[in-house]
Amino acid sequence: MTEQRPRMQSRPIVVPLRQGDAVVFAVQRRPVKGTRGIYRVNLRHGVSRILTGNRLTAGIIFHDARK
């Protein structure tokens, strides 16, 4: 994942997983505590390429349909 922080360089985040592990994460924004309080950073994400074996990924999108 990559945090796109305002007025700063983007920060990559690697979530190391072993066989059988799973991760659930927010895909649009996450709160971060800064010097002037809490602010939101945008997240970009992806799945890295594997050289052997199989990987299963599922993307589930939840959104507010009232807009």
Side-chain angles (χ1 to χ4, degrees):
M1 293 184 283
T2 303
E3 289 182 351
Q4 294 178 314
R5 302 179 301 170
R7 295 174 301 286
M8 291 184 259
Q9 290 184 349
S10 296
R11 178 189 306 176
I13 302 169
V14 177
V15 180
L17 299 175
R18 295 180 305 215
Q19 184 174 355
D21 289 349
V23 65
V24 177
F25 55 90
V27 295
Q28 188 172 17
R29 296 184 191 103
R30 82 177 190 94
V32 173
K33 185 172 183 176
T35 56
R36 298 182 182 178
I38 297 174
Y39 63 98
R40 293 182 296 209
V41 295
N42 292 326
L43 291 176
R44 298 187 75 203
H45 61 281
V47 177
S48 62
R49 183 176 56 156
I50 61 172
L51 301 177
T52 62
N54 296 314
R55 173 182 288 145
L56 299 175
T57 59
I60 302 171
I61 301 170
F62 298 99
H63 62 90
D64 188 358
R66 295 180 289 174
K67 293 182 179 181

